[in-house]
Amino acid sequence: MHYSIFSVLSQAWKGQTGWTPMWREPQPKRAYDAIIVGGGGHGLATAYYLAKNHGVTNVAVLEKGWIGGGNVGRNTTIIRSNYREPGNLPFYEKSLQLWEGLEQDINYNAMVSQRGVLNLFHSDAQRDAFAYRGNAMRLHGVDATLLDREAVRAMVPTLDLDNARFPIHGGLLQKRGGTVRHDAVAWGYARAADRLGVDIIQNCEVTGIRIVAGAVTGVETTRGFIGAKKLGLAAAGNSSRVAAMAGLRLPIESHVLQAFVSEGIKPLVDTVVTFGAGHFYVSQSDKGGLVFGGSLDGYNSYAQRGNLPMVEDVLEEAVAIMPSLSRLRMLRSWGGIMDMSMDGSPIIDKTDITGLYLNCGWCYGGFKATPASGFCFAHTIANDAPHDLNAAYRLDRFATGHLINEGGAGAQPNLH
Amino acid sequence: MRIRCPFCGERSHAEFSYLGDAAPTRPNIGTRATVPDTTLFVDYVYMRDNSPGVMREYWQHVGGCRSWLIVERNVTTHAISNVASAREQVLAATEGEHP
């Protein structure tokens, strides 16, 4: 069913009785042309672009739980392309451009809201670094505006600009950044892929990868063996576990990142603000809750929950820039498992095993990358060669020295 | 999560800083005459098993005695099964290798 004002009106007339399920629940076939492991944002987007851009429609997405139950439903919904490194900037800008046209493309309301992303700076040195990043962005055709203190004050009056320890000197604004309704991204891509013939198979855990003479022949699952000549892994925090089934060892550690939502309040912040003197970001959801995020807990974890010191840390930072939040009550917190790579940048590449493709290492920047990740991974799988946009996201860059170290933290995944 | 430091007792993990997996060991760089195998170093610096379940990892009690510790922790449940001094374990494991 195509969604439009006419379908809404006609359903209103029929008492909302004619809506059909957004995707089928097919039984797995014996074999597919391509299988994607992982029914999150990246996996579903990959299947969609495989079908749409490359005409590969005999595709299955295998998900061990329900689609969208992993990190695509466990993030702070922010989109932006304010990167600096040459390998990253064009990729994330492509992603932002795909976000801008996404809703028309997949005929689904993902509530893409370009409300701006404002990175605050708190010292002269930090202003220089942000001006450098803003200039790099503009040289790549990405919008960036350096705001002074008064412009920041006018834009976000709730901020404490004169905090004795962290005075706000200004900010780098990307107006085209913003937020997207995260669950709708998974559902929208799933529905769009399904309409092109992709089988979305939930509650189907991959338990083994069958390789014969150096080439993939299919996967063992909890619902039996499914054959495929091409296999794409998009398992986020579980990437190392899935890759180990093919005998691969990855430059990845799994870490937990927490996020928080407050009780709903009237409109307070109409943009995304990030605190430059720590690691904290805040935006307001359409329901009124403030959405907070901070750093990783800092230790390896496969548990989708964090510990209390990071809760305290994030809320201290919240109150440091917005003292008016001190009496706000927190409603919920949750944790997602991040596939932290050794240089803080992702991997979208083919492997030494014929027909095996890898999409991982998203650290905690995976949500904003969803469309471009799917676009590039689909290209890589269909053509058995990377797209120009993901040519730098090679698996062997750690051995060749071509790291993309946006954060400059070195091989310490908990610091990226 | 609380870590029982063998020297200071049980403390919040906020007192500790984290280095990571204790499994990788630095490869022998050999002598001047031999070129070290760089793939061993790539493996040591970048590659990780990253498997769920119990992991041995380095923590330092920076907010206390500043000792380096090896903590055995289940990364899926956060349950800590053993904490020991890293110095004693490493010395015992490498006895005779370093002067």
Side-chain angles (χ1 to χ4, degrees):
Chain A
M1 176 186 278
H2 189 81
Y3 294 157
S4 69
I5 183 71
F6 303 107
S7 64
V8 170
L9 290 176
S10 82
Q11 285 302 320
W13 197 254
K14 292 182 210 162
Q16 315 291 349
T17 53
W19 297 112
T20 52
M22 292 205 291
W23 54 82
R24 298 164 293 130
E25 292 210 23
Q27 290 298 316
K29 295 187 215 166
R30 290 167 62 88
Y32 290 90
D33 292 341
I35 287 178
I36 308 297
V37 180
H42 291 228
L44 293 165
T46 304
Y48 171 65
Y49 291 113
L50 266 175
K52 182 187 169 230
N53 293 353
H54 305 284
V56 186
T57 54
N58 187 21
V59 175
V61 178
L62 306 184
E63 167 57 47
K64 72 172 176 181
W66 62 90
I67 62 162
N71 290 351
V72 74
R74 291 172 173 268
N75 56 73
T76 49
T77 79
I78 296 165
I79 59 168
R80 57 186 175 86
S81 60
N82 52 1
Y83 281 74
R84 188 194 61 218
E85 296 295 309
N88 278 334
L89 243 175
F91 174 84
Y92 285 101
E93 176 56 17
K94 172 70 178 179
S95 205
L96 194 53
Q97 288 169 8
L98 287 169
W99 284 119
E100 287 172 330
L102 181 75
E103 293 167 318
Q104 287 68 35
D105 189 23
I106 63 175
N107 179 231
Y108 200 86
N109 180 10
M111 294 163 69
V112 177
S113 164
Q114 292 183 289
R115 59 183 69 184
V117 172
L118 176 64
N119 300 147
L120 300 175
F121 54 78
H122 307 264
S123 67
D124 289 347
Q126 203 171 20
R127 175 172 45 222
D128 290 348
F130 279 31
Y132 169 31
R133 177 147 58 95
N135 289 339
M137 289 162 66
R138 291 162 71 131
L139 284 169
H140 279 83
V142 183
D143 70 303
T145 317
L146 199 66
L147 301 184
D148 64 13
R149 200 177 133 82
E150 291 315 309
V152 168
R153 191 195 300 276
M155 190 174 161
V156 191
T158 349
L159 292 173
D160 177 11
L161 280 88
D162 304 308
N163 182 302
R165 189 158 173 205
F166 308 113
I168 294 168
H169 288 199
L172 181 65
L173 173 67
Q174 185 181 21
K175 282 187 185 161
R176 287 165 58 243
T179 61
V180 179
R181 169 89 175 101
H182 54 357
D183 297 318
V185 175
W187 301 332
Y189 270 123
R191 173 173 166 272
D194 179 84
R195 292 172 91 195
L196 294 174
V198 171
D199 281 359
I200 293 160
I201 299 164
Q202 304 183 77
N203 299 308
C204 180
E205 182 173 354
V206 171
T207 53
I209 296 174
R210 199 179 284 180
I211 296 165
V212 177
V216 166
T217 59
V219 287
E220 311 283 353
T221 76
T222 48
R223 292 169 70 172
F225 175 78
I226 308 174
K229 287 198 180 67
K230 294 192 171 191
L231 182 66
L233 307 181
N238 287 306
S239 291
S240 296
R241 296 173 65 183
V242 179
M245 294 174 192
L248 293 178
R249 208 157 162 253
L250 302 181
I252 300 279
E253 287 185 4
S254 295
H255 285 252
V256 61
L257 178 69
Q258 300 190 65
F260 312 88
V261 173
S262 78
E263 59 189 328
I265 54 172
K266 288 188 175 180
L268 183 80
V269 190
D270 64 355
T271 183
V272 179
V273 183
T274 75
F275 180 49
H279 196 165
F280 169 77
Y281 36 93
V282 56
S283 63
Q284 191 164 16
S285 81
D286 291 329
K287 283 194 287 188
L290 294 182
V291 184
F292 304 117
S295 298
L296 297 172
D297 269 38
Y299 45 81
N300 290 47
S301 176
Y302 274 98
Q304 286 180 316
R305 61 183 196 284
N307 267 296
L308 290 171
M310 189 47 66
V311 179
E312 187 178 14
D313 195 60
V314 167
L315 300 181
E316 277 173 353
E317 292 182 56
V319 174
I321 59 167
M322 292 184 183
S324 56
L325 302 186
S326 64
R327 294 195 182 181
L328 197 64
R329 282 166 293 196
M330 291 296 117
L331 275 193
R332 293 183 284 130
S333 74
W334 64 94
I337 302 306
M338 308 293 136
D339 36 333
M340 301 301 297
S341 69
M342 286 289 172
D343 62 355
S345 294
I347 295 159
I348 306 177
D349 202 0
K350 47 194 272 198
T351 65
D352 291 338
I353 299 164
T354 306
L356 185 68
Y357 304 88
L358 196 59
N359 177 331
C360 62
W362 291 98
C363 301
Y364 38 73
F367 178 69
K368 72 175 94 67
T370 305
S373 167
F375 179 90
C376 290
F377 198 36
H379 182 102
T380 307
I381 293 172
N383 298 299
D384 196 38
H387 191 278
D388 283 348
L389 290 168
N390 67 306
Y393 294 156
R394 296 172 62 102
L395 178 59
D396 69 359
R397 69 175 184 268
F398 301 93
T400 60
H402 296 89
L403 281 75
I404 310 169
N405 201 339
E406 187 86 31
Q412 282 290 108
N414 58 333
L415 301 182
H416 282 296
Chain B
M1 199 157 71
R2 294 176 70 77
I3 297 173
R4 188 180 295 280
C5 172
F7 307 104
C8 311
E10 188 180 290
R11 303 293 175 87
S12 163
H13 84 269
E15 284 189 16
F16 299 78
S17 73
Y18 185 73
L19 183 66
D21 196 347
T25 49
R26 192 181 171 84
N28 197 329
I29 57 167
T31 61
R32 254 168 210 274
T34 59
V35 179
D37 184 354
T38 52
T39 59
L40 294 177
F41 275 91
V42 171
D43 211 54
Y44 166 66
V45 176
Y46 297 115
M47 298 300 168
R48 296 289 181 267
D49 289 334
N50 193 31
S51 47
V54 176
M55 180 174 172
R56 291 176 76 245
E57 53 194 15
Y58 287 119
W59 290 77
Q60 189 189 13
H61 194 185
V62 287
C65 61
R66 303 194 64 81
S67 297
W68 280 98
L69 307 172
I70 290 182
V71 176
E72 284 177 25
R73 184 175 64 94
N74 186 315
V75 297
T76 314
T77 63
H78 295 166
I80 293 170
S81 47
N82 192 40
V83 185
S85 161
R87 181 182 162 78
E88 285 163 23
Q89 288 210 8
V90 172
L91 282 178
T94 61
E95 198 176 357
E97 284 183 29
H98 296 286

